[in-house]
Amino acid sequence: MKEGFIRHIPHNPKLRGMARMLPDVVFSAETGSELKMQILRPWEGEDNPGSCRFPLIVFLQGSGWTKPNLYFEIPQLAEYARKGYVVATITHRSYQEGHPAPAFLQDAKTAVRFLRAHADEYSVDPDRVCFFGTSSGGNTALLMALTGDDPRYRTGEYAGYSDAVQLCVECFGPTDLEAMSRDWDKEKPGFFQFFGGDPRTEKQDLMRAMSPLLVFRQTGKCPPTLIIHGDADPLVPYTQGTGMYQALVEGGVDAEMICVDGAPHEGSFWSARLHEEILDFIGRRL
């Protein structure tokens, strides 16, 4: 019998570089809507919970503040988990189902507090938390960065834990809803009126409160932030990103911006290189 050549590689007793998924973890039920997250975590230390502590990335997919797709970026985010991050993709209540703004922000904050409350179980380092969002999720990411532990947006769940984040990654999100509402009223009449609840009531104060650019102009405080926007975005104008970036830089914030040349909203905006850039920013700042 002809003898072949057998290659040998070492085993991986600590499961380094591997990841696993914890599906459908309920993080909120107090508001009457059961909200779930999908958790991706390094497999390392799985046999000894709490023995390892990994930085946390909370990801929110854009949805126009309706129902985020929890699974949209999981194939890409799995690589973040393999590189040593706990990643939680979250959802929130929808304004279309009778939960107007700021319900989406309250739910995002509840998710962060839940993960801090269960830091031992999921091997989370509660002092290293990044919020990463796209489109309406990008708007939420900036609001999370700007309104840490703001009592106006707290629910009663996990009240003893902070919802502040240490880092923000924001992709093609609305930053000035007052300006956006003027533009969108031509394309989507009444959108922002329903976003804020009863369409018969005045929403200017709510628009300002949910506009990261306007919030920052009032507070002047923000953790390190990466803004990414495509300069061919037909839905959220590129100037929404550049305006926010300029304000952060002028305000002395540790901010960076990436322009994705020719990119639309989602789709070809994404590339392996862009995810490498995001990972590099998170690695340097978190």
Side-chain angles (χ1 to χ4, degrees):
M1 182 174 69
K2 186 175 180 179
E3 191 172 319
F5 176 73
I6 298 174
R7 291 182 294 135
H8 293 259
I9 64 171
H11 74 310
N12 186 15
K14 293 192 175 181
L15 294 170
R16 285 180 178 152
M18 307 302 292
R20 65 163 298 192
M21 181 172 172
L22 307 175
D24 298 330
V25 176
V26 176
F27 70 88
S28 177
E30 181 188 81
T31 59
S33 299
E34 189 175 82
L35 301 176
K36 298 177 181 179
M37 63 174 64
Q38 312 300 314
I39 298 176
L40 303 166
R41 57 152 295 172
W43 218 324
E44 185 177 353
E46 187 73 11
D47 57 347
N48 185 14
S51 63
C52 299
R53 294 288 186 179
F54 302 103
L56 170 65
I57 300 171
V58 181
F59 177 78
L60 179 58
Q61 175 66 28
S63 64
W65 300 280
T66 59
K67 284 190 173 181
N69 182 344
L70 284 166
Y71 309 99
F72 190 81
E73 286 289 350
I74 279 180
Q76 284 65 245
L77 293 173
E79 182 64 16
Y80 290 60
R82 284 192 290 270
K83 290 186 180 297
Y85 297 92
V86 176
V87 183
T89 68
I90 68 169
T91 188
H92 55 65
R93 289 168 290 166
S94 168
Y95 82 89
Q96 291 180 331
E97 296 178 350
H99 304 290
F104 69 92
L105 180 57
Q106 292 171 325
D107 295 340
K109 288 175 173 290
T110 299
V112 170
R113 293 197 305 275
F114 168 88
L115 288 159
R116 282 198 168 105
H118 294 84
D120 287 344
E121 182 178 353
Y122 301 124
S123 298
V124 165
D125 182 344
D127 296 323
R128 292 188 289 168
V129 180
C130 171
F131 204 101
F132 173 11
T134 64
S135 195
S136 60
N139 166 269
T140 308
L142 286 167
L143 290 172
M144 288 292 294
L146 293 163
T147 64
D149 295 323
D150 189 322
R152 292 176 297 173
Y153 307 123
R154 290 182 74 91
T155 64
E157 295 173 289
Y158 319 106
Y161 295 89
S162 172
D163 57 50
V165 301
Q166 285 70 52
L167 200 68
C168 173
V169 177
E170 185 276 316
C171 298
F172 49 86
T175 63
D176 183 348
L177 298 192
E178 281 193 309
M180 283 286 293
S181 66
R182 290 191 294 270
D183 294 336
W184 280 26
D185 277 347
K186 302 170 187 175
E187 302 292 331
K188 300 183 178 184
F191 174 87
F192 282 107
Q193 291 296 308
F194 286 99
F195 160 81
D198 188 338
R200 295 167 296 180
T201 60
E202 179 60 42
K203 299 295 188 307
Q204 289 309 111
D205 287 346
L206 179 63
M207 292 297 100
R208 295 187 188 102
M210 297 295 100
S211 296
L213 177 61
L214 306 184
V215 174
F216 178 71
R217 285 175 177 168
Q218 291 180 336
T219 67
K221 296 180 180 180
C222 187
T225 295
L226 173 62
I227 292 175
I228 315 173
H229 216 112
D231 62 3
D233 191 322
L235 186 62
V236 179
Y238 180 60
T239 53
Q240 289 274 314
T242 55
M244 187 75 206
Y245 173 65
Q246 192 65 35
L248 292 175
V249 170
E250 290 175 356
V253 173
D254 180 4
E256 299 180 20
M257 183 168 182
I258 296 172
C259 171
V260 184
D261 293 336
H265 202 78
E266 290 285 9
S268 62
F269 173 89
W270 295 106
S271 64
R273 179 176 175 180
L274 181 55
H275 281 290
E276 289 170 2
E277 294 279 356
I278 294 169
L279 276 164
D280 175 69
F281 174 79
I282 294 173
R284 286 186 284 112
R285 294 295 187 268
L286 202 60

